[in-house]
Amino acid sequence: MLGQYRPGDTVVHRMPAGVKVAALIAAIVTISVFVRAPWQLVPAAAVVAAAFACAKVPAGVAARQLRPVLWMILVVFVFQLVFTGWARAVVVCGVLLLAVAGAALVTLTTRVSDMLDAVVGVLAPLRRVGVDPERVGLVLAMTIRAVPLLTTVVTRVRDARRARGLGFSLRAFVVPVVVGTLVTADHMGDALAARGVDD
């Protein structure tokens, strides 16, 4: 879900996390509302490409951020093509790709801790209505941490099956992944309880 942070000293890296997240949200809303024709994607894509260049993110790294969503984009494109036509399909998929690219740029140039601090700061006024900003930040941190943990579980199961020379079986693949995920969640729960965060 999130690109791995790449240290740097560019203007994009030095921008406050809250500003980058707000700019990302504003950009996504803007292109979603105002882009209505395929050609209008070109200037938006140019801005995103310029932002990547300003952050000195290599083209290969930028491309790898989009690779995981290409299958989903393909499915969306086919659906839109059938029900709304090619122009709308290009616009919808283009907006999705630009949104993912923008989010990837933010995560590549922003430490997770800085993003979490920004979220906690934004939610601080909601303490008056019973919202605990630190707890929200903790949930976000756990969610972000869960992504590589689940990837590790899946990779271990896949490698173990390959080492045993076993063919692909959906049930034989899913069951160990589910068990490994539950074990990981149990360990995370124990760690939280040991730190007094068990309610």
Side-chain angles (χ1 to χ4, degrees), residues 7 20 35 49 51 63 72-73 75 100 104 117 122 124 126 149 171 192:
K20 283 189 273 193
V35 173
M72 182 192 73
I73 295 294
V75 172
V100 172
D117 289 342
V122 169
L126 298 180
L149 286 176
R171 183 169 63 179
L192 289 172

Side-chain angles (χ1 to χ4, degrees), residues 14-188:
R14 292 195 299 268
M15 288 175 62
V19 172
K20 283 189 273 193
V21 172
L24 173 64
I25 294 172
I28 292 174
V29 170
T30 299
I31 62 176
S32 299
V33 171
F34 293 105
V35 173
R36 289 289 177 264
W39 68 266
Q40 294 174 327
L41 291 167
V42 176
V47 171
V48 173
F52 270 94
C54 185
K56 297 182 179 178
V57 176
V61 174
R64 282 197 295 272
Q65 308 307 306
L66 301 178
R67 192 175 303 158
V69 299
L70 291 181
W71 285 109
M72 182 192 73
I73 295 294
L74 178 61
V75 172
V76 172
F77 181 83
V78 171
F79 180 85
Q80 292 290 332
L81 183 65
V82 171
F83 291 98
T84 64
W86 72 268
R88 184 60 183 167
V90 170
V91 169
V92 170
C93 293
V95 169
L96 285 174
L97 279 174
L98 291 176
V100 172
L105 178 62
V106 171
T107 57
L108 286 169
T109 59
T110 312
R111 291 182 176 86
V112 173
S113 58
D114 292 338
M115 282 193 283
L116 295 177
D117 289 342
V119 170
V120 171
V122 169
L123 295 179
L126 298 180
R127 290 182 192 276
R128 301 172 185 174
V129 294
V131 175
D132 185 350
E134 284 75 19
R135 177 140 319 202
V136 174
L138 175 63
V139 171
L140 288 174
M142 291 176 60
T143 303
I144 293 170
R145 177 60 182 145
V147 174
L149 286 176
L150 292 178
T151 301
T152 300
V153 170
V154 171
T155 301
R156 285 177 179 172
V157 171
R158 183 196 62 194
D159 292 345
R161 292 187 57 77
R162 286 180 177 174
R164 292 174 176 81
L166 301 176
F168 181 77
S169 167
L170 184 60
R171 183 169 63 179
F173 180 77
V174 170
V175 171
V177 169
V178 171
V179 172
T181 302
L182 292 175
V183 170
T184 301
D186 191 47
H187 290 165
M188 290 180 70

